[in-house]
Amino acid sequence: MMDEEKNLPELPKGWALTELEEISEINPKLDGEGISNDIDVTFLPMRCVEELSGQIDLSLMRRLSKVKKGYTYFTNGDLLFAKITPCMENGKVAIAHDLKNGIGFGSTEFHVIRLHRSLPRKFFFFFLIQEGFRKDAQRSMTGSAGQLRVPTNYMRQMSMPLPPLPEQHRIVAKIEELFTKLDAGVEALKKVKTQLKGYRQAVLKHAFEGKLTEAWRKAHKGEIEPASVLLERIKEERKKKAKGKYKELSPQDISDLPRLPEGWTWTRLGHVCDTTSGGTPLRSKKAYYGGSIPWLKSGELKDSLINRSEESITDLGLSNSSAKIFPKGTLLIALYGATVGKIGKLDIDAATNQAICGIFNKNGAFEKNYLFNYLISYRDNLLKNRFGGAQPNISQEIVRNILIPLPPFLEQRKISEEIERRISHAEEIGKVVEQSLKRAERLRQSILKRAFEGKLVPQNPSDEPAEKLLERIKAEKAKHEAERKKKRTMGSKKSRNKRR
């Protein structure tokens, strides 16, 4: 039961409290008599049911003979309710419709509710997607962690308020009217989210084309050292430090690259920065883990500042592996894994695993945020160079050969300021959008709550009370069950006579 009856709110006049099995058949079986095994039917895996909206993908077909055993059967008009976690909590509920040959089969993780023919399916769909109902159903779940399910008995005995039939239709119409307006607002908010994403990309693109600082360059013309001079100075410094071991990267071909503003130049990342990867201490050695040294994995890189890690290692783990401590300010890039190409910027001293490459801007060629933002903007190009099979990756060599537009250092600082100003503004708008989307969902649930409390539409004293409706449904169900029992009995007699 959803609640003990004494805890339920007082029902409006004309309403009745019912259990789902009184007005429906739960998980009905296929009566295959007269149906050919060679027909095609709709096939509906769980992934084809959208959360909360009731939308379903009907594009998959299967031969009846292939699915009649081992899958869940349903027909047009049946309610499908996901019983397994987390699909149930997420609101995977739908009304089956437009099924091939009127029949469907799908995931075994659906409960099927076949309502009495007189009842509006949408009314019960809206009841099932209520957050309050889903939370109550969650408390009833049984099974092991990750495999929790709403039991069939809960569905059968689930209590729900039933208004008079005309009021059910009025409630459905009002919910649909309000949801249509709400959906239009949500769609507009989602459009803004998409536009903000495009805006961020446009800001970064214009930044590294020199468009954000065009006026600044004109105002400082002749005052700023060209990037080519800075690049040559860094090159000479690196040669001196290398003591004859300096290895220059192959010259870059810039013939197909965009023309840069005056004072800018193209360079490879490896011309001005050093790179190295980390390492993983042996997992079997407990003494290597749980120490004071933050230790990062590639999945923790999310194009953001990093000030904590999920794991840590000990000095012993550090000294007995290829892991090394990267200082605060180091840029990190994921070389492989699900987050390949993602960037991080250390706000702490930390070690990393071998799937992360550290980028060291020791010579000060790049302003601290300029390279960080450029690598984010360059990711799509970087990923085109991935190699490998099941888990494509990039190498340090690919990272070192990234071509980067290098402005004068003071202009880099101005570019970073302009990016920060514009992106911060967009992020503030994004926060407002997210808050509005959450308010819209709360409003949606508030509408549903009011509907099933009898507060969404007015009651009509002339409506036939729900008790009368329930009496008719119970009488029809009893008659139908008696006919079905008689049919089964006759079938059994025929079988016995054939055996004789």
Side-chain angles (χ1 to χ4, degrees):
M1 294 278 188
M2 278 188 67
D3 281 299
E4 294 297 329
E5 191 169 337
K6 64 182 181 180
N7 293 326
L8 290 168
E10 185 178 348
L11 295 175
K13 191 173 181 180
W15 288 41
L17 192 67
T18 186
E19 291 183 355
L20 193 57
E21 67 177 347
E22 293 181 320
I23 55 175
S24 69
E25 189 178 358
I26 310 297
N27 299 324
K29 303 300 181 185
L30 171 67
D31 180 3
E33 189 176 334
I35 301 176
S36 170
N37 280 332
D38 293 330
I39 65 169
D40 287 334
V41 298
T42 300
F43 185 69
L44 197 70
M46 187 65 74
R47 61 181 169 81
C48 289
V49 178
E50 205 173 88
E51 296 170 0
L52 297 175
S53 73
Q55 296 295 314
I56 53 178
D57 179 358
L58 299 168
S59 62
L60 300 178
M61 303 292 163
R62 294 286 188 275
R63 191 61 54 89
L64 177 59
S65 59
K66 300 290 186 183
V67 295
K68 65 186 299 183
K69 292 183 180 178
Y71 293 97
T72 300
Y73 152 73
F74 50 89
T75 62
N76 284 324
D78 286 346
L79 273 166
L80 307 177
F81 176 80
K83 62 185 175 183
I84 192 167
T85 189
C87 301
M88 190 284 293
E89 296 92 327
N90 293 339
K92 283 194 176 242
V93 184
I95 302 171
H97 61 88
D98 298 322
L99 304 175
K100 182 75 172 178
N101 289 309
I103 299 174
F105 282 82
S107 170
T108 56
E109 302 299 350
F110 288 125
H111 277 312
V112 177
I113 304 166
R114 185 166 293 169
L115 292 161
H116 184 269
R117 55 186 172 77
S118 66
L119 298 172
R121 273 61 181 153
K122 272 290 187 75
F123 179 83
F124 294 86
F125 166 79
F126 287 133
F127 183 84
L128 293 173
I129 64 168
Q130 287 183 98
E131 185 178 18
F133 168 75
R134 285 180 282 130
K135 284 184 176 178
D136 191 81
Q138 184 181 24
R139 288 191 288 271
S140 79
M141 285 178 143
T142 59
S144 58
Q147 294 290 310
L148 292 168
R149 294 176 177 86
V150 177
T152 303
N153 277 342
Y154 172 86
M155 299 302 292
R156 289 198 180 108
Q157 298 168 10
M158 182 260 290
S159 293
M160 67 171 295
L162 191 72
L165 191 57
E167 189 171 344
Q168 291 180 41
H169 287 288
R170 292 198 300 274
I171 288 171
V172 168
K174 188 63 176 179
I175 290 174
E176 288 183 329
E177 175 194 337
L178 295 173
F179 276 17
T180 297
K181 293 176 182 177
L182 194 57
D183 288 342
V186 168
E187 196 58 39
L189 289 168
K190 288 181 177 177
K191 187 176 180 180
V192 172
K193 277 185 72 174
T194 302
Q195 290 171 338
L196 286 173
K197 186 177 179 180
Y199 174 76
R200 180 186 177 93
Q201 292 169 340
V203 166
L204 293 177
K205 182 176 182 293
H206 290 164
F208 302 113
E209 290 173 347
K211 293 179 181 177
L212 297 189
T213 47
E214 198 167 1
W216 184 91
R217 271 195 311 280
K218 287 180 181 177
H220 295 82
K221 191 171 183 179
E223 301 175 12
I224 306 300
E225 177 185 76
S228 57
V229 177
L230 169 65
L231 191 61
E232 192 59 34
R233 187 166 61 247
I234 289 172
K235 182 178 175 180
E236 292 303 317
E237 288 174 1
R238 296 190 73 184
K239 280 183 178 179
K240 286 180 184 177
K241 289 179 182 177
K243 296 179 180 178
K245 296 180 181 179
Y246 178 77
K247 185 178 178 181
E248 194 164 345
L249 294 174
S250 58
Q252 61 259 35
D253 180 7
I254 61 172
S255 58
D256 293 331
L257 295 175
R259 187 174 178 181
L260 295 177
E262 186 179 350
W264 291 36
T265 188
W266 286 102
T267 186
R268 292 192 191 278
L269 184 142
H271 279 143
V272 291
C273 294
D274 296 320
T275 67
T276 189
S277 61
T280 300
L282 281 174
R283 284 290 188 180
S284 59
K285 299 287 188 180
K286 292 183 179 180
Y288 291 174
Y289 289 89
S292 60
I293 303 168
W295 183 74
L296 293 158
K297 301 178 291 294
S298 58
E300 296 175 73
L301 272 56
K302 298 176 181 177
D303 293 347
S304 58
L305 197 66
I306 298 172
N307 51 30
R308 61 178 298 275
S309 62
E310 294 173 356
E311 291 190 81
S312 62
I313 59 175
T314 61
D315 288 323
L316 192 63
L318 183 71
S319 60
N320 284 278
S321 70
S322 55
K324 51 192 74 70
I325 296 177
F326 297 155
K328 178 179 178 178
T330 302
L331 290 185
L332 307 175
I333 184 166
L335 298 177
Y336 53 89
T339 54
V340 59
K342 284 282 187 178
I343 308 298
K345 184 168 63 174
L346 283 177
D347 196 38
I348 53 174
D349 293 348
T352 76
N353 70 4
Q354 64 277 11
I356 294 176
C357 171
I359 301 171
F360 307 94
N361 179 31
K362 294 179 180 178
N363 300 290
F366 296 109
E367 190 273 335
K368 60 181 181 179
N369 289 317
Y370 179 88
L371 183 57
F372 175 74
N373 284 312
Y374 180 76
L375 291 175
I376 291 173
S377 74
Y378 188 78
R379 180 165 39 248
D380 287 346
N381 293 314
L382 184 64
L383 296 183
K384 291 175 184 176
N385 294 313
R386 283 181 297 179
F387 59 90
Q391 194 180 62
N393 56 82
I394 56 178
S395 65
Q396 286 192 61
E397 187 64 22
I398 289 172
V399 172
R400 284 193 288 266
N401 277 286
I402 294 173
L403 281 164
I404 304 173
L406 181 68
F409 188 84
L410 290 178
E411 189 169 354
Q412 290 182 46
R413 184 177 295 167
K414 183 64 178 176
I415 288 169
S416 294
E417 290 172 1
E418 289 297 317
I419 290 173
E420 174 65 22
R421 183 173 65 83
R422 285 167 166 81
I423 297 299
S424 294
H425 181 62
E427 286 175 349
E428 287 302 314
I429 296 173
K431 288 177 185 176
V432 173
V433 169
E434 286 298 330
Q435 289 167 359
S436 299
L437 286 169
K438 288 176 182 176
R439 280 198 297 269
E441 185 53 36
R442 288 197 296 270
L443 178 57
R444 192 183 304 274
Q445 291 300 322
S446 175
I447 290 168
L448 293 174
K449 185 173 183 292
R450 288 178 62 81
F452 295 102
E453 289 173 346
K455 298 175 182 178
L456 193 63
V457 298
Q459 280 76 49
N460 187 336
S462 64
D463 287 343
E464 179 188 65
E467 285 289 355
K468 297 286 187 183
L469 172 64
L470 280 175
E471 287 173 10
R472 281 200 307 276
I473 291 174
K474 288 175 184 177
E476 284 188 34
K477 280 183 64 113
K479 182 181 176 182
H480 179 66
E481 185 55 39
E483 289 173 350
R484 193 154 54 179
K485 187 176 180 180
K486 183 180 178 182
K487 187 178 178 182
R488 284 198 301 267
T489 302
M490 290 176 65
S492 296
K493 284 181 179 179
K494 285 180 180 179
S495 296
R496 285 196 298 270
N497 290 334
K498 282 182 181 179
R499 286 196 296 270
R500 287 173 188 168

